[in-house]
Amino acid sequence: MKDISRRKVLKEIGLISLGMTMLNKGALSGNKGESFSIKDINRTNNSDIDFDRPVTAIVLGAGERGNVYAGYAVKNPNELNIVGVAEPIPYRINKFSKQHQIPKEKQFVTWEHVFEQEKFADAVIISTPDKLHYGAAMKALEMGYDLLLEKPIAQSWKECNDILQQQKKFNNIVAVCHVLRYAPYFLKMKEVIDSGKIGEVINVQHLEPVSFDHIAHSYVRGPWKNEKESTPMLLAKSCHDIDIIKWILNKKCERVSSFGSLKWFKPQNAPKGCTKRCTDGCAVEAACPYSAIKIYARDKGWHLRYLDVKERSFEHIVEKLKTSPYGLCVYHAGNDVVDHQVVNMQFEEDITVGFTMAFAGYAGRRTRVMGSMGDIVGDMTNLHVFNYNTKKRETWNTDDIDIDDGAFADHGHGGGDIRLARDFVRAVKLQDPKQLTSTIDASMESHLIGYMAEKSRKEGGKMYTINMKA
Ligand SMILES: NC(=O)c1ccc[n+]([C@@H]2O[C@H](COP(=O)([O-])OP(=O)(O)OC[C@H]3O[C@@H](n4cnc5c(N)ncnc54)[C@H](O)[C@@H]3O)[C@@H](O)[C@H]2O)c1
């Protein structure tokens, strides 16, 4: 009887095959983690809570991420209501305000204006560019707002610490948008490790392949191309990776070292005949995989959203590229962040970890966890768990998981975005930070690892110890 009900629960959450073997996991030694549950893996709202009124929030930065989180209000208006917005780009603020019916007096050009008014919402969603997180977070916390704070927390370790201290002083709920912690795939990976199924973790290999068009769009031409304007690549992109490794292991990182550089996207690699802009009559445009005309005007992929084009015709997009930073040649874009990097980490209990970020023809994080009794191989869709004793391999995949739809469709981080929004709303509603796995406290160590690894890279791979008290 007991087994049947467990089976029913596992079936409901789509984990039947792996769950069945976990019932027989035997006496393998475990990697006991923090208290953790995947019971809610397939629930993408808070239908179990009675909302007498929705949680109210103000969005700072109505760009990509601001629209993603505000999308939760569109899907669940009884739970979340967006009541204010700050955004300097007229096209974006108008579109956003219309969608969320925000009155004129609650539409602001810049985040500072929001805080000139008395507190008028429960929470603030900070989805401004990286360099504007700090000021907005400090002020929002002081005024008593709860915070959904995009990663990276801030541009330096000191600023991250200031925000943490501010949170402690005013006792607000702060969720850092480490969305992978909420993705069913990584929840499952953590569950397998915590169960002891692969014994003790010996080593982790984690790869973040950034697709070649994505690196060109975001880290060569786009908002994260300069360290001073945003953060180093390791924080801007791969703080998710460092964080998820730290989270699945639930161990302290002791030492770190890193190598990496900007190897390809620089003037000396420009082919003969290329021009400063792809639209300037570049002689090699047709053969260039990074051509802005190809990426935005011909292929019209997800990147096009960043261009704010009113119509999607080839001619209109090419016209826009003539003045937009997204029309710059990738070899002449003035970028300075790395295009490949490796980080070596030594965790407590002698666990070694190697992380690589590089560009490739595919995307989707690849992770291998090598344990004493088994191993895990995953690609964000399939999770294979191999048992050294039985020599059997079980596979779990994301097919049964309700990933996303609506505003979450193209940028859902495997279902992590919507589940983070769900848990943030829940935490604010219940005034309970325990509803979150990525509180600011829990997110600090991975930021420190990132900052120290970047320091190491700049110093030729020097090894640094990770000391949270320093
Ligand atoms: N969690 C994730 O997986 C994830 C993914 C992508 C980006 N991010 C982070 O989210 C943040 C936003 O990234 P994005 O992709 O949405 O970028 P975006 O450029 O689409 O959005 C940022 C918005 O902020 C606006 N803005 C600029 N100055 C402002 C000001 N003074 N006041 C108010 N708004 C202002 C911009 O006009 C823009 O619309 C960044 O910190 C980024 O690193 C996180």
Side-chain angles (χ1 to χ4, degrees), residues 49 51 55 173 424-433 435:
I49 298 181
F51 280 78
V55 164
I173 306 258
F424 177 67
V425 167
R426 191 178 184 87
V428 174
K429 173 73 192 159
L430 303 176
Q431 284 297 294
D432 177 12
Q435 302 297 326

Side-chain angles (χ1 to χ4, degrees), residues 60-66 69 86-89 92 109-112 127-130 132-133 150-152 177 179 223-224 236 240 306 413:
L60 311 184
E64 274 291 300
R65 302 302 299 171
Y69 300 119
E87 168 60 56
I89 299 178
R92 294 188 184 180
V109 172
T110 177
W111 65 266
E112 288 95 334
S127 47
T128 48
D130 299 357
L132 302 182
H133 291 187
E150 257 306 354
K151 48 54 45 181
C177 296
V179 287
W224 301 278
H240 280 317
Y306 279 79
H413 291 101

Side-chain angles (χ1 to χ4, degrees), residues 1 34 77 90 123 137 139 144 185 211 276 282 301 310 331 335 353 358 369 406 415 430 454 460:
M1 203 45 202
E34 66 219 32
K139 193 70 196 166
Y185 166 87
S211 67
K276 292 271 157 65
C282 173
K310 286 181 189 114
Y331 303 104
N335 48 309
V353 176
V369 185
L430 303 176
E454 185 57 12

